[in-house]
Amino acid sequence: MGWATAKLARYERIWQRLLGGHSEEAYFAEAERIGPYLTLLRGMSFEREDLQWGDMALRRIGQRAKTSTQKID
């Protein structure tokens, strides 16, 4: 999950640089090309979702491990 966290941080730095202190609405209205920006937004969304899934999976695995240990005792 560290890799996804680092990738999301890199995407967020690119996002801030692209916006340059302007709003997203201003960017869409003024940018010559918005395709790369839209792709960046999708990448950020994917990495956030991947991190959420990883957190959930680790919690569930941890719960099962506790349950399995209790059954053995």
Side-chain angles (χ1 to χ4, degrees):
M1 290 190 6
W3 191 68
T5 301
K7 197 171 185 180
L8 179 58
R10 187 173 74 234
Y11 286 169
E12 288 174 342
R13 286 190 302 272
I14 294 168
W15 177 66
Q16 290 294 329
R17 190 178 66 225
L18 284 174
L19 289 179
H22 298 96
S23 71
E24 192 171 73
E25 288 302 317
Y27 182 86
F28 282 126
E30 299 167 6
E32 188 174 315
R33 297 176 54 227
I34 63 168
Y37 184 79
L38 293 171
T39 302
L40 176 64
L41 292 179
R42 179 61 193 126
M44 290 169 58
S45 178
F46 175 83
E47 296 304 331
R48 286 185 188 115
E49 185 179 317
D50 200 35
L51 287 167
Q52 289 173 345
W53 178 87
D55 287 340
M56 180 276 305
L58 289 173
R59 279 194 318 275
R60 298 299 182 197
I61 291 168
Q63 289 169 347
R64 288 183 58 91
K66 287 179 188 175
T67 302
S68 295
T69 303
Q70 290 172 355
K71 288 180 183 177
I72 294 172
D73 293 341

